[in-house]
Amino acid sequence: MLTALLGAATVLSMAWLTFLVSMIALWGAAEGTAVGGLLGEYAAGVAGGAALLAALAFVPAVRRMTPEGRRLLLTAVACPVPLVLAVVTWLGVG
């Protein structure tokens, strides 16, 4: 249950951040501003986070864990950063 809650919080946070970056890029492009750098940095950040989680999943101590424990650990590691960023941006935008 906790794994599902942490996973849902992570997915919703990433959805909000992706929406926000997309809107900023759209508005910037409408004004004629170059937005490739912004989109590239966001994509690199997401890819870097995914690579770190994949690396953590293949650590021998983590691989020896039960599947349920491994999923809980990975969602607990993945959740805080996007959740904090989403809350800060939500409060800043709203």
PDB file of all heavy atoms in Angstrom, residues 24-68:
ATOM      1  N   ILE A  24       5.737  26.491 -19.969  1.00  0.00           N
ATOM      2  CA  ILE A  24       6.780  27.511 -20.053  1.00  0.00           C
ATOM      3  C   ILE A  24       7.429  27.491 -21.430  1.00  0.00           C
ATOM      4  O   ILE A  24       7.663  28.544 -22.036  1.00  0.00           O
ATOM      5  CB  ILE A  24       7.826  27.298 -18.940  1.00  0.00           C
ATOM      6  CG1 ILE A  24       7.202  27.599 -17.575  1.00  0.00           C
ATOM      7  CG2 ILE A  24       9.059  28.166 -19.163  1.00  0.00           C
ATOM      8  CD1 ILE A  24       8.060  27.186 -16.401  1.00  0.00           C
ATOM      9  N   ALA A  25       7.683  26.297 -21.960  1.00  0.00           N
ATOM     10  CA  ALA A  25       8.275  26.183 -23.291  1.00  0.00           C
ATOM     11  C   ALA A  25       7.318  26.697 -24.366  1.00  0.00           C
ATOM     12  O   ALA A  25       7.737  27.375 -25.309  1.00  0.00           O
ATOM     13  CB  ALA A  25       8.657  24.737 -23.572  1.00  0.00           C
ATOM     14  N   LEU A  26       6.047  26.376 -24.222  1.00  0.00           N
ATOM     15  CA  LEU A  26       5.060  26.847 -25.201  1.00  0.00           C
ATOM     16  C   LEU A  26       4.957  28.363 -25.199  1.00  0.00           C
ATOM     17  O   LEU A  26       4.959  29.001 -26.253  1.00  0.00           O
ATOM     18  CB  LEU A  26       3.699  26.220 -24.907  1.00  0.00           C
ATOM     19  CG  LEU A  26       2.560  26.606 -25.842  1.00  0.00           C
ATOM     20  CD1 LEU A  26       2.836  26.081 -27.248  1.00  0.00           C
ATOM     21  CD2 LEU A  26       1.248  26.080 -25.313  1.00  0.00           C
ATOM     22  N   TRP A  27       4.874  28.959 -24.013  1.00  0.00           N
ATOM     23  CA  TRP A  27       4.784  30.416 -23.933  1.00  0.00           C
ATOM     24  C   TRP A  27       6.072  31.074 -24.425  1.00  0.00           C
ATOM     25  O   TRP A  27       6.037  32.112 -25.081  1.00  0.00           O
ATOM     26  CB  TRP A  27       4.490  30.863 -22.513  1.00  0.00           C
ATOM     27  CG  TRP A  27       3.122  30.506 -22.034  1.00  0.00           C
ATOM     28  CD1 TRP A  27       2.028  30.245 -22.792  1.00  0.00           C
ATOM     29  CD2 TRP A  27       2.711  30.350 -20.677  1.00  0.00           C
ATOM     30  NE1 TRP A  27       0.963  29.930 -21.985  1.00  0.00           N
ATOM     31  CE2 TRP A  27       1.351  29.986 -20.684  1.00  0.00           C
ATOM     32  CE3 TRP A  27       3.359  30.452 -19.452  1.00  0.00           C
ATOM     33  CZ2 TRP A  27       0.636  29.763 -19.524  1.00  0.00           C
ATOM     34  CZ3 TRP A  27       2.644  30.231 -18.297  1.00  0.00           C
ATOM     35  CH2 TRP A  27       1.290  29.891 -18.338  1.00  0.00           C
ATOM     36  N   GLY A  28       7.204  30.466 -24.099  1.00  0.00           N
ATOM     37  CA  GLY A  28       8.472  31.002 -24.583  1.00  0.00           C
ATOM     38  C   GLY A  28       8.581  30.916 -26.089  1.00  0.00           C
ATOM     39  O   GLY A  28       9.047  31.852 -26.738  1.00  0.00           O
ATOM     40  N   ALA A  29       8.151  29.806 -26.661  1.00  0.00           N
ATOM     41  CA  ALA A  29       8.191  29.656 -28.113  1.00  0.00           C
ATOM     42  C   ALA A  29       7.236  30.630 -28.790  1.00  0.00           C
ATOM     43  O   ALA A  29       7.536  31.143 -29.872  1.00  0.00           O
ATOM     44  CB  ALA A  29       7.856  28.222 -28.507  1.00  0.00           C
ATOM     45  N   ALA A  30       6.106  30.896 -28.167  1.00  0.00           N
ATOM     46  CA  ALA A  30       5.154  31.850 -28.742  1.00  0.00           C
ATOM     47  C   ALA A  30       5.734  33.258 -28.754  1.00  0.00           C
ATOM     48  O   ALA A  30       5.390  34.064 -29.626  1.00  0.00           O
ATOM     49  CB  ALA A  30       3.844  31.829 -27.953  1.00  0.00           C
ATOM     50  N   GLU A  31       6.609  33.560 -27.801  1.00  0.00           N
ATOM     51  CA  GLU A  31       7.252  34.871 -27.768  1.00  0.00           C
ATOM     52  C   GLU A  31       8.490  34.936 -28.650  1.00  0.00           C
ATOM     53  O   GLU A  31       9.089  35.990 -28.799  1.00  0.00           O
ATOM     54  CB  GLU A  31       7.657  35.221 -26.335  1.00  0.00           C
ATOM     55  CG  GLU A  31       6.492  35.525 -25.432  1.00  0.00           C
ATOM     56  CD  GLU A  31       6.953  35.881 -24.024  1.00  0.00           C
ATOM     57  OE1 GLU A  31       8.151  35.708 -23.724  1.00  0.00           O
ATOM     58  OE2 GLU A  31       6.112  36.334 -23.244  1.00  0.00           O
ATOM     59  N   GLY A  32       8.902  33.799 -29.189  1.00  0.00           N
ATOM     60  CA  GLY A  32      10.076  33.763 -30.049  1.00  0.00           C
ATOM     61  C   GLY A  32      11.363  33.445 -29.321  1.00  0.00           C
ATOM     62  O   GLY A  32      12.441  33.577 -29.891  1.00  0.00           O
ATOM     63  N   THR A  33      11.267  33.048 -28.078  1.00  0.00           N
ATOM     64  CA  THR A  33      12.450  32.697 -27.294  1.00  0.00           C
ATOM     65  C   THR A  33      12.875  31.265 -27.612  1.00  0.00           C
ATOM     66  O   THR A  33      12.036  30.399 -27.806  1.00  0.00           O
ATOM     67  CB  THR A  33      12.127  32.799 -25.786  1.00  0.00           C
ATOM     68  OG1 THR A  33      11.571  34.086 -25.517  1.00  0.00           O
ATOM     69  CG2 THR A  33      13.361  32.594 -24.943  1.00  0.00           C
ATOM     70  N   ALA A  34      14.166  31.017 -27.624  1.00  0.00           N
ATOM     71  CA  ALA A  34      14.666  29.659 -27.830  1.00  0.00           C
ATOM     72  C   ALA A  34      14.410  28.843 -26.570  1.00  0.00           C
ATOM     73  O   ALA A  34      14.783  29.244 -25.472  1.00  0.00           O
ATOM     74  CB  ALA A  34      16.158  29.692 -28.146  1.00  0.00           C
ATOM     75  N   VAL A  35      13.728  27.710 -26.714  1.00  0.00           N
ATOM     76  CA  VAL A  35      13.367  26.896 -25.555  1.00  0.00           C
ATOM     77  C   VAL A  35      14.046  25.529 -25.566  1.00  0.00           C
ATOM     78  O   VAL A  35      13.783  24.707 -24.696  1.00  0.00           O
ATOM     79  CB  VAL A  35      11.833  26.714 -25.460  1.00  0.00           C
ATOM     80  CG1 VAL A  35      11.156  28.033 -25.189  1.00  0.00           C
ATOM     81  CG2 VAL A  35      11.286  26.066 -26.708  1.00  0.00           C
ATOM     82  N   GLY A  36      14.923  25.299 -26.527  1.00  0.00           N
ATOM     83  CA  GLY A  36      15.592  24.006 -26.618  1.00  0.00           C
ATOM     84  C   GLY A  36      16.445  23.704 -25.402  1.00  0.00           C
ATOM     85  O   GLY A  36      16.510  22.568 -24.941  1.00  0.00           O
ATOM     86  N   GLY A  37      17.094  24.721 -24.855  1.00  0.00           N
ATOM     87  CA  GLY A  37      17.926  24.525 -23.678  1.00  0.00           C
ATOM     88  C   GLY A  37      17.114  24.108 -22.464  1.00  0.00           C
ATOM     89  O   GLY A  37      17.511  23.207 -21.716  1.00  0.00           O
ATOM     90  N   LEU A  38      15.975  24.742 -22.272  1.00  0.00           N
ATOM     91  CA  LEU A  38      15.100  24.407 -21.149  1.00  0.00           C
ATOM     92  C   LEU A  38      14.600  22.969 -21.263  1.00  0.00           C
ATOM     93  O   LEU A  38      14.666  22.207 -20.297  1.00  0.00           O
ATOM     94  CB  LEU A  38      13.902  25.361 -21.102  1.00  0.00           C
ATOM     95  CG  LEU A  38      12.795  24.994 -20.114  1.00  0.00           C
ATOM     96  CD1 LEU A  38      13.260  25.221 -18.680  1.00  0.00           C
ATOM     97  CD2 LEU A  38      11.539  25.787 -20.405  1.00  0.00           C
ATOM     98  N   LEU A  39      14.136  22.607 -22.430  1.00  0.00           N
ATOM     99  CA  LEU A  39      13.630  21.251 -22.626  1.00  0.00           C
ATOM    100  C   LEU A  39      14.744  20.219 -22.523  1.00  0.00           C
ATOM    101  O   LEU A  39      14.538  19.131 -21.965  1.00  0.00           O
ATOM    102  CB  LEU A  39      12.923  21.138 -23.977  1.00  0.00           C
ATOM    103  CG  LEU A  39      11.645  21.977 -24.114  1.00  0.00           C
ATOM    104  CD1 LEU A  39      11.107  21.876 -25.532  1.00  0.00           C
ATOM    105  CD2 LEU A  39      10.605  21.559 -23.106  1.00  0.00           C
ATOM    106  N   GLY A  40      15.919  20.556 -23.015  1.00  0.00           N
ATOM    107  CA  GLY A  40      17.053  19.652 -22.925  1.00  0.00           C
ATOM    108  C   GLY A  40      17.496  19.430 -21.488  1.00  0.00           C
ATOM    109  O   GLY A  40      17.803  18.299 -21.087  1.00  0.00           O
ATOM    110  N   GLU A  41      17.526  20.497 -20.699  1.00  0.00           N
ATOM    111  CA  GLU A  41      17.902  20.369 -19.289  1.00  0.00           C
ATOM    112  C   GLU A  41      16.879  19.547 -18.519  1.00  0.00           C
ATOM    113  O   GLU A  41      17.249  18.724 -17.674  1.00  0.00           O
ATOM    114  CB  GLU A  41      18.045  21.744 -18.654  1.00  0.00           C
ATOM    115  CG  GLU A  41      19.269  22.506 -19.105  1.00  0.00           C
ATOM    116  CD  GLU A  41      19.321  23.896 -18.522  1.00  0.00           C
ATOM    117  OE1 GLU A  41      18.531  24.209 -17.607  1.00  0.00           O
ATOM    118  OE2 GLU A  41      20.171  24.683 -18.975  1.00  0.00           O
ATOM    119  N   TYR A  42      15.605  19.744 -18.808  1.00  0.00           N
ATOM    120  CA  TYR A  42      14.576  18.971 -18.119  1.00  0.00           C
ATOM    121  C   TYR A  42      14.677  17.492 -18.494  1.00  0.00           C
ATOM    122  O   TYR A  42      14.634  16.619 -17.619  1.00  0.00           O
ATOM    123  CB  TYR A  42      13.179  19.510 -18.458  1.00  0.00           C
ATOM    124  CG  TYR A  42      12.072  18.759 -17.757  1.00  0.00           C
ATOM    125  CD1 TYR A  42      11.882  18.906 -16.400  1.00  0.00           C
ATOM    126  CD2 TYR A  42      11.243  17.883 -18.443  1.00  0.00           C
ATOM    127  CE1 TYR A  42      10.884  18.215 -15.737  1.00  0.00           C
ATOM    128  CE2 TYR A  42      10.246  17.185 -17.801  1.00  0.00           C
ATOM    129  CZ  TYR A  42      10.063  17.361 -16.444  1.00  0.00           C
ATOM    130  OH  TYR A  42       9.088  16.663 -15.793  1.00  0.00           O
ATOM    131  N   ALA A  43      14.847  17.217 -19.774  1.00  0.00           N
ATOM    132  CA  ALA A  43      14.975  15.829 -20.221  1.00  0.00           C
ATOM    133  C   ALA A  43      16.229  15.181 -19.636  1.00  0.00           C
ATOM    134  O   ALA A  43      16.202  14.012 -19.235  1.00  0.00           O
ATOM    135  CB  ALA A  43      15.008  15.766 -21.747  1.00  0.00           C
ATOM    136  N   ALA A  44      17.319  15.929 -19.547  1.00  0.00           N
ATOM    137  CA  ALA A  44      18.548  15.392 -18.963  1.00  0.00           C
ATOM    138  C   ALA A  44      18.360  15.103 -17.474  1.00  0.00           C
ATOM    139  O   ALA A  44      18.876  14.102 -16.960  1.00  0.00           O
ATOM    140  CB  ALA A  44      19.704  16.366 -19.178  1.00  0.00           C
ATOM    141  N   GLY A  45      17.642  15.961 -16.777  1.00  0.00           N
ATOM    142  CA  GLY A  45      17.377  15.728 -15.356  1.00  0.00           C
ATOM    143  C   GLY A  45      16.537  14.490 -15.125  1.00  0.00           C
ATOM    144  O   GLY A  45      16.821  13.684 -14.231  1.00  0.00           O
ATOM    145  N   VAL A  46      15.504  14.318 -15.937  1.00  0.00           N
ATOM    146  CA  VAL A  46      14.643  13.133 -15.813  1.00  0.00           C
ATOM    147  C   VAL A  46      15.425  11.868 -16.164  1.00  0.00           C
ATOM    148  O   VAL A  46      15.345  10.857 -15.458  1.00  0.00           O
ATOM    149  CB  VAL A  46      13.385  13.280 -16.692  1.00  0.00           C
ATOM    150  CG1 VAL A  46      12.594  11.986 -16.732  1.00  0.00           C
ATOM    151  CG2 VAL A  46      12.512  14.413 -16.166  1.00  0.00           C
ATOM    152  N   ALA A  47      16.196  11.930 -17.238  1.00  0.00           N
ATOM    153  CA  ALA A  47      16.995  10.767 -17.640  1.00  0.00           C
ATOM    154  C   ALA A  47      18.065  10.444 -16.600  1.00  0.00           C
ATOM    155  O   ALA A  47      18.332   9.271 -16.312  1.00  0.00           O
ATOM    156  CB  ALA A  47      17.641  11.010 -19.002  1.00  0.00           C
ATOM    157  N   GLY A  48      18.670  11.462 -16.016  1.00  0.00           N
ATOM    158  CA  GLY A  48      19.671  11.242 -14.977  1.00  0.00           C
ATOM    159  C   GLY A  48      19.071  10.594 -13.740  1.00  0.00           C
ATOM    160  O   GLY A  48      19.663   9.680 -13.154  1.00  0.00           O
ATOM    161  N   GLY A  49      17.889  11.055 -13.335  1.00  0.00           N
ATOM    162  CA  GLY A  49      17.210  10.436 -12.199  1.00  0.00           C
ATOM    163  C   GLY A  49      16.839   8.993 -12.466  1.00  0.00           C
ATOM    164  O   GLY A  49      16.993   8.124 -11.598  1.00  0.00           O
ATOM    165  N   ALA A  50      16.370   8.716 -13.673  1.00  0.00           N
ATOM    166  CA  ALA A  50      16.029   7.342 -14.031  1.00  0.00           C
ATOM    167  C   ALA A  50      17.278   6.459 -14.056  1.00  0.00           C
ATOM    168  O   ALA A  50      17.234   5.300 -13.623  1.00  0.00           O
ATOM    169  CB  ALA A  50      15.338   7.314 -15.395  1.00  0.00           C
ATOM    170  N   ALA A  51      18.386   7.007 -14.535  1.00  0.00           N
ATOM    171  CA  ALA A  51      19.636   6.237 -14.561  1.00  0.00           C
ATOM    172  C   ALA A  51      20.125   5.939 -13.145  1.00  0.00           C
ATOM    173  O   ALA A  51      20.601   4.830 -12.869  1.00  0.00           O
ATOM    174  CB  ALA A  51      20.704   6.995 -15.343  1.00  0.00           C
ATOM    175  N   LEU A  52      19.991   6.898 -12.240  1.00  0.00           N
ATOM    176  CA  LEU A  52      20.385   6.662 -10.853  1.00  0.00           C
ATOM    177  C   LEU A  52      19.520   5.593 -10.197  1.00  0.00           C
ATOM    178  O   LEU A  52      20.023   4.736  -9.461  1.00  0.00           O
ATOM    179  CB  LEU A  52      20.322   7.961 -10.058  1.00  0.00           C
ATOM    180  CG  LEU A  52      21.432   8.964 -10.338  1.00  0.00           C
ATOM    181  CD1 LEU A  52      21.173  10.268  -9.584  1.00  0.00           C
ATOM    182  CD2 LEU A  52      22.774   8.394  -9.957  1.00  0.00           C
ATOM    183  N   LEU A  53      18.224   5.632 -10.460  1.00  0.00           N
ATOM    184  CA  LEU A  53      17.350   4.596  -9.909  1.00  0.00           C
ATOM    185  C   LEU A  53      17.669   3.225 -10.492  1.00  0.00           C
ATOM    186  O   LEU A  53      17.644   2.221  -9.778  1.00  0.00           O
ATOM    187  CB  LEU A  53      15.887   4.942 -10.171  1.00  0.00           C
ATOM    188  CG  LEU A  53      15.278   5.980  -9.235  1.00  0.00           C
ATOM    189  CD1 LEU A  53      13.865   6.301  -9.682  1.00  0.00           C
ATOM    190  CD2 LEU A  53      15.296   5.505  -7.809  1.00  0.00           C
ATOM    191  N   ALA A  54      17.959   3.171 -11.777  1.00  0.00           N
ATOM    192  CA  ALA A  54      18.328   1.897 -12.394  1.00  0.00           C
ATOM    193  C   ALA A  54      19.631   1.374 -11.814  1.00  0.00           C
ATOM    194  O   ALA A  54      19.774   0.173 -11.558  1.00  0.00           O
ATOM    195  CB  ALA A  54      18.450   2.062 -13.904  1.00  0.00           C
ATOM    196  N   ALA A  55      20.593   2.263 -11.576  1.00  0.00           N
ATOM    197  CA  ALA A  55      21.853   1.845 -10.973  1.00  0.00           C
ATOM    198  C   ALA A  55      21.630   1.326  -9.556  1.00  0.00           C
ATOM    199  O   ALA A  55      22.222   0.321  -9.151  1.00  0.00           O
ATOM    200  CB  ALA A  55      22.842   3.006 -10.965  1.00  0.00           C
ATOM    201  N   LEU A  56      20.768   1.997  -8.804  1.00  0.00           N
ATOM    202  CA  LEU A  56      20.457   1.545  -7.451  1.00  0.00           C
ATOM    203  C   LEU A  56      19.769   0.185  -7.474  1.00  0.00           C
ATOM    204  O   LEU A  56      20.027  -0.666  -6.617  1.00  0.00           O
ATOM    205  CB  LEU A  56      19.572   2.565  -6.734  1.00  0.00           C
ATOM    206  CG  LEU A  56      19.115   2.202  -5.327  1.00  0.00           C
ATOM    207  CD1 LEU A  56      20.311   2.064  -4.391  1.00  0.00           C
ATOM    208  CD2 LEU A  56      18.134   3.223  -4.806  1.00  0.00           C
ATOM    209  N   ALA A  57      18.920  -0.044  -8.452  1.00  0.00           N
ATOM    210  CA  ALA A  57      18.200  -1.315  -8.530  1.00  0.00           C
ATOM    211  C   ALA A  57      19.134  -2.494  -8.781  1.00  0.00           C
ATOM    212  O   ALA A  57      18.801  -3.625  -8.431  1.00  0.00           O
ATOM    213  CB  ALA A  57      17.144  -1.245  -9.634  1.00  0.00           C
ATOM    214  N   PHE A  58      20.311  -2.235  -9.380  1.00  0.00           N
ATOM    215  CA  PHE A  58      21.233  -3.314  -9.688  1.00  0.00           C
ATOM    216  C   PHE A  58      22.365  -3.469  -8.684  1.00  0.00           C
ATOM    217  O   PHE A  58      23.269  -4.272  -8.896  1.00  0.00           O
ATOM    218  CB  PHE A  58      21.795  -3.147 -11.110  1.00  0.00           C
ATOM    219  CG  PHE A  58      20.776  -3.449 -12.157  1.00  0.00           C
ATOM    220  CD1 PHE A  58      20.198  -2.436 -12.900  1.00  0.00           C
ATOM    221  CD2 PHE A  58      20.370  -4.753 -12.379  1.00  0.00           C
ATOM    222  CE1 PHE A  58      19.249  -2.711 -13.858  1.00  0.00           C
ATOM    223  CE2 PHE A  58      19.425  -5.032 -13.344  1.00  0.00           C
ATOM    224  CZ  PHE A  58      18.855  -4.016 -14.077  1.00  0.00           C
ATOM    225  N   VAL A  59      22.311  -2.719  -7.600  1.00  0.00           N
ATOM    226  CA  VAL A  59      23.295  -2.915  -6.526  1.00  0.00           C
ATOM    227  C   VAL A  59      23.032  -4.293  -5.921  1.00  0.00           C
ATOM    228  O   VAL A  59      21.878  -4.654  -5.671  1.00  0.00           O
ATOM    229  CB  VAL A  59      23.152  -1.796  -5.471  1.00  0.00           C
ATOM    230  CG1 VAL A  59      23.975  -2.100  -4.238  1.00  0.00           C
ATOM    231  CG2 VAL A  59      23.528  -0.461  -6.063  1.00  0.00           C
ATOM    232  N   PRO A  60      24.084  -5.087  -5.685  1.00  0.00           N
ATOM    233  CA  PRO A  60      23.863  -6.462  -5.203  1.00  0.00           C
ATOM    234  C   PRO A  60      23.003  -6.557  -3.937  1.00  0.00           C
ATOM    235  O   PRO A  60      22.167  -7.457  -3.830  1.00  0.00           O
ATOM    236  CB  PRO A  60      25.282  -6.981  -4.951  1.00  0.00           C
ATOM    237  CG  PRO A  60      26.127  -6.206  -5.894  1.00  0.00           C
ATOM    238  CD  PRO A  60      25.500  -4.838  -5.970  1.00  0.00           C
ATOM    239  N   ALA A  61      23.190  -5.656  -2.992  1.00  0.00           N
ATOM    240  CA  ALA A  61      22.386  -5.724  -1.769  1.00  0.00           C
ATOM    241  C   ALA A  61      20.905  -5.490  -2.057  1.00  0.00           C
ATOM    242  O   ALA A  61      20.031  -6.101  -1.432  1.00  0.00           O
ATOM    243  CB  ALA A  61      22.889  -4.698  -0.762  1.00  0.00           C
ATOM    244  N   VAL A  62      20.609  -4.633  -3.015  1.00  0.00           N
ATOM    245  CA  VAL A  62      19.214  -4.360  -3.373  1.00  0.00           C
ATOM    246  C   VAL A  62      18.640  -5.528  -4.164  1.00  0.00           C
ATOM    247  O   VAL A  62      17.478  -5.900  -3.982  1.00  0.00           O
ATOM    248  CB  VAL A  62      19.106  -3.030  -4.163  1.00  0.00           C
ATOM    249  CG1 VAL A  62      17.696  -2.777  -4.635  1.00  0.00           C
ATOM    250  CG2 VAL A  62      19.595  -1.871  -3.306  1.00  0.00           C
ATOM    251  N   ARG A  63      19.445  -6.135  -5.013  1.00  0.00           N
ATOM    252  CA  ARG A  63      18.961  -7.269  -5.804  1.00  0.00           C
ATOM    253  C   ARG A  63      18.611  -8.468  -4.933  1.00  0.00           C
ATOM    254  O   ARG A  63      17.772  -9.284  -5.304  1.00  0.00           O
ATOM    255  CB  ARG A  63      19.997  -7.669  -6.848  1.00  0.00           C
ATOM    256  CG  ARG A  63      20.081  -6.654  -7.978  1.00  0.00           C
ATOM    257  CD  ARG A  63      21.038  -7.104  -9.039  1.00  0.00           C
ATOM    258  NE  ARG A  63      20.699  -8.394  -9.596  1.00  0.00           N
ATOM    259  CZ  ARG A  63      20.037  -8.584 -10.732  1.00  0.00           C
ATOM    260  NH1 ARG A  63      19.633  -7.545 -11.413  1.00  0.00           N
ATOM    261  NH2 ARG A  63      19.796  -9.791 -11.168  1.00  0.00           N
ATOM    262  N   ARG A  64      19.270  -8.591  -3.777  1.00  0.00           N
ATOM    263  CA  ARG A  64      18.975  -9.700  -2.875  1.00  0.00           C
ATOM    264  C   ARG A  64      17.699  -9.479  -2.066  1.00  0.00           C
ATOM    265  O   ARG A  64      17.220 -10.404  -1.416  1.00  0.00           O
ATOM    266  CB  ARG A  64      20.154  -9.919  -1.928  1.00  0.00           C
ATOM    267  CG  ARG A  64      21.337 -10.576  -2.596  1.00  0.00           C
ATOM    268  CD  ARG A  64      22.370 -11.004  -1.572  1.00  0.00           C
ATOM    269  NE  ARG A  64      22.968  -9.876  -0.870  1.00  0.00           N
ATOM    270  CZ  ARG A  64      24.086  -9.264  -1.237  1.00  0.00           C
ATOM    271  NH1 ARG A  64      24.736  -9.666  -2.302  1.00  0.00           N
ATOM    272  NH2 ARG A  64      24.566  -8.269  -0.538  1.00  0.00           N
ATOM    273  N   MET A  65      17.158  -8.284  -2.090  1.00  0.00           N
ATOM    274  CA  MET A  65      15.941  -7.992  -1.332  1.00  0.00           C
ATOM    275  C   MET A  65      14.737  -8.693  -1.977  1.00  0.00           C
ATOM    276  O   MET A  65      14.784  -9.082  -3.146  1.00  0.00           O
ATOM    277  CB  MET A  65      15.678  -6.476  -1.303  1.00  0.00           C
ATOM    278  CG  MET A  65      16.717  -5.678  -0.558  1.00  0.00           C
ATOM    279  SD  MET A  65      16.473  -3.905  -0.720  1.00  0.00           S
ATOM    280  CE  MET A  65      15.009  -3.686   0.261  1.00  0.00           C
ATOM    281  N   THR A  66      13.666  -8.795  -1.221  1.00  0.00           N
ATOM    282  CA  THR A  66      12.433  -9.326  -1.799  1.00  0.00           C
ATOM    283  C   THR A  66      11.908  -8.324  -2.820  1.00  0.00           C
ATOM    284  O   THR A  66      12.191  -7.129  -2.717  1.00  0.00           O
ATOM    285  CB  THR A  66      11.374  -9.548  -0.705  1.00  0.00           C
ATOM    286  OG1 THR A  66      11.032  -8.288  -0.135  1.00  0.00           O
ATOM    287  CG2 THR A  66      11.874 -10.500   0.371  1.00  0.00           C
ATOM    288  N   PRO A  67      11.129  -8.766  -3.796  1.00  0.00           N
ATOM    289  CA  PRO A  67      10.599  -7.819  -4.786  1.00  0.00           C
ATOM    290  C   PRO A  67       9.774  -6.688  -4.160  1.00  0.00           C
ATOM    291  O   PRO A  67       9.861  -5.543  -4.598  1.00  0.00           O
ATOM    292  CB  PRO A  67       9.731  -8.699  -5.690  1.00  0.00           C
ATOM    293  CG  PRO A  67      10.315 -10.059  -5.566  1.00  0.00           C
ATOM    294  CD  PRO A  67      10.821 -10.155  -4.152  1.00  0.00           C
ATOM    295  N   GLU A  68       9.001  -7.004  -3.132  1.00  0.00           N
ATOM    296  CA  GLU A  68       8.194  -5.967  -2.488  1.00  0.00           C
ATOM    297  C   GLU A  68       9.084  -4.939  -1.795  1.00  0.00           C
ATOM    298  O   GLU A  68       8.851  -3.739  -1.880  1.00  0.00           O
ATOM    299  CB  GLU A  68       7.231  -6.588  -1.471  1.00  0.00           C
ATOM    300  CG  GLU A  68       6.175  -7.477  -2.079  1.00  0.00           C
ATOM    301  CD  GLU A  68       6.673  -8.890  -2.337  1.00  0.00           C
ATOM    302  OE1 GLU A  68       7.727  -9.281  -1.788  1.00  0.00           O
ATOM    303  OE2 GLU A  68       6.016  -9.600  -3.119  1.00  0.00           O
TER     304      GLU A  68
END
